[in-house]
Amino acid sequence: MITLQAQTILIQAETAVSVGICATSELENTTLLTDLILSLDNSQLKLRELIVATPNQKLARALMNRDPRILVELETRPGGKASALNRILSRASGDILVLSSADIKFARNAIPKLVEGLVRHSDWGAVDSRVELVNGDDRLMDRVSTLLWDVHNATLDELDGDDRLGHIAGDLIAVRRDLIDTLPEVINDDAYVALRVREKGFRVKRVHDAFVWIVGPRNPADYISQRSRVIQGHLQLVGLFRRIPSTFEFMIVRKPRQYLHLLVRIVTKLGPSHFPALLVGGFLETLSLQLAIVSSLMGRRNQPWRTPETTKQI
């Protein structure tokens, strides 16, 4: 008699997987990620192709003859993240599409764990990884970023546990390929995918043992640049879907008592050194929200965004 685990492994081995990476300046890390992904082929997943979309000609040249499984989509004119993802979608032929940022590290079993989640659960449409920061807590802005992500993870965990999750962080995700066609020009493509999956009747879930590591913003300018962009993206999706995003900054408005309690719990767990980070983080979030509102009213969406350089130093 075949066990459930054996059946899952068998189905997973037969499930074709496409992996897409959007990269700009992250030449060294993208090369490391592609090597890791290619090494998973056959042993832990059936890799159909690894598609890298980039405007970086140096990176494109480094990858083009590296392995026949790598497909390079060189953008002669950078068209933004949505354009790059649409190039990946046009080439992806697997049953499951894994999308990865280029400025991350992930555990060797992270992608197989995401694929396994979709294989085991036919009602799951998209799955998100568990993102953690490598900043440490030496500097105040490191503690601010750590606090932000701890609150973010706790919020998503709570919603996931209640089967109300409608958001994915986007650093490393997997989605059923047939659920996503082309993407419109949206800022938060990851959140768009999650909402579209929910709209089609599938669940969005988190795979808690699929670990990913990133660097959070390490100075106020990078923090505001990144967060105002994300918040503006959420406001854009509110207009498209008429749904409130399931992230802390929106959930605290809907259920202030519940999510204030969550915030206090996180800050208490982190300890007294993070109380100043709470004050600074609150101030920066307020500035980010104001900038996002102004940018939305002025049509800032279609203009180039400032790259938060400190987040690229993984």
Side-chain angles (χ1 to χ4, degrees):
M1 184 175 180
I2 301 176
T3 65
L4 176 60
Q5 183 177 9
Q7 287 178 329
T8 301
I9 293 172
L10 181 61
I11 297 171
Q12 188 169 341
E14 296 174 347
T15 302
V17 177
S18 300
V19 179
I21 301 176
C22 295
T24 50
S25 60
E26 309 89 350
L27 193 153
E28 181 180 358
N29 201 61
T30 303
T31 304
L32 291 172
L33 291 177
T34 56
D35 286 346
L36 174 54
I37 293 165
L38 292 173
S39 73
L40 299 173
D41 191 17
N42 297 324
S43 61
Q44 297 189 56
L45 77 161
K46 182 181 177 182
L47 181 65
R48 181 70 60 82
E49 62 262 319
L50 170 53
I51 311 155
V52 180
T54 180
N56 188 319
Q57 293 190 16
K58 187 175 180 181
L59 174 59
R61 287 194 300 270
L63 294 176
M64 275 179 179
N65 299 315
R66 195 175 185 88
D67 189 286
R69 293 167 291 182
I70 299 177
L71 306 179
V72 178
E73 282 289 323
L74 178 61
E75 300 173 276
T76 54
R77 289 185 302 173
K81 181 76 175 293
S83 173
L85 286 172
N86 281 329
R87 286 172 173 266
I88 290 172
L89 284 166
S90 69
R91 303 289 297 273
S93 61
D95 305 298
I96 291 173
L97 174 60
V98 176
L99 294 172
S100 170
S101 297
D103 53 0
I104 66 173
K105 302 286 187 185
F106 55 76
R108 181 174 178 80
N109 67 349
I111 291 178
K113 287 284 186 182
L114 295 178
V115 173
E116 180 185 351
L118 293 178
V119 168
R120 281 194 174 189
H121 304 90
S122 60
D123 58 336
W124 292 13
V127 288
D128 197 6
S129 52
R130 177 81 182 188
V131 179
E132 296 187 349
L133 264 61
V134 298
N135 292 55
D137 59 0
D138 290 340
R139 294 190 283 186
L140 176 60
M141 280 308 302
D142 288 328
R143 293 194 292 274
V144 171
S145 289
T146 297
L147 175 60
L148 170 74
W149 268 97
D150 279 10
V151 170
H152 182 66
N153 275 326
T155 302
L156 298 187
D157 286 346
E158 190 162 301
L159 292 165
D160 185 36
D162 294 339
D163 265 338
R164 293 187 294 122
L165 186 61
H167 179 78
I168 44 182
D171 294 285
L172 182 69
I173 68 170
V175 60
R176 297 188 187 279
R177 175 64 187 86
D178 59 358
L179 295 182
I180 301 298
D181 299 316
T182 57
L183 296 175
E185 285 293 330
V186 291
I187 298 170
N188 294 352
D189 48 87
D190 43 11
Y192 174 88
V193 168
L195 290 170
R196 182 62 73 199
V197 165
R198 287 289 297 250
E199 193 176 61
K200 292 186 176 183
F202 287 81
R203 296 159 75 188
V204 176
K205 299 296 289 183
R206 281 163 66 78
V207 180
H208 298 277
D209 54 354
F211 287 101
V212 171
W213 297 277
I214 66 170
V215 179
R218 306 196 74 187
N219 62 52
D222 280 358
Y223 186 100
I224 292 173
S225 174
Q226 185 180 80
R227 289 294 297 151
S228 62
R229 180 175 183 269
V230 169
I231 294 170
Q232 185 182 348
H234 287 322
L235 295 174
Q236 180 189 28
L237 292 177
V238 170
L240 285 174
F241 287 91
R242 298 293 189 267
R243 289 185 59 178
I244 301 299
S246 55
T247 57
F248 178 81
E249 60 269 26
F250 288 91
M251 296 306 296
I252 196 171
V253 175
R254 295 184 64 182
K255 298 182 177 181
R257 180 177 297 181
Q258 179 180 343
Y259 286 92
L260 277 173
H261 178 72
L262 181 147
L263 177 62
V264 170
R265 189 173 76 239
I266 294 298
V267 175
T268 303
K269 182 189 73 173
L270 290 171
S273 65
H274 284 76
F275 288 132
L278 176 62
L279 298 176
V280 173
F283 174 71
L284 294 177
E285 282 290 300
T286 301
L287 287 181
S288 299
L289 174 61
Q290 293 172 341
L291 182 58
I293 293 171
V294 171
S295 296
S296 296
L297 295 174
M298 296 179 64
R300 173 71 171 77
R301 181 182 65 201
N302 297 322
Q303 299 177 21
W305 290 93
R306 174 184 176 274
T307 301
E309 294 296 337
T310 57
T311 65
K312 303 295 181 182
Q313 300 168 3
I314 188 68

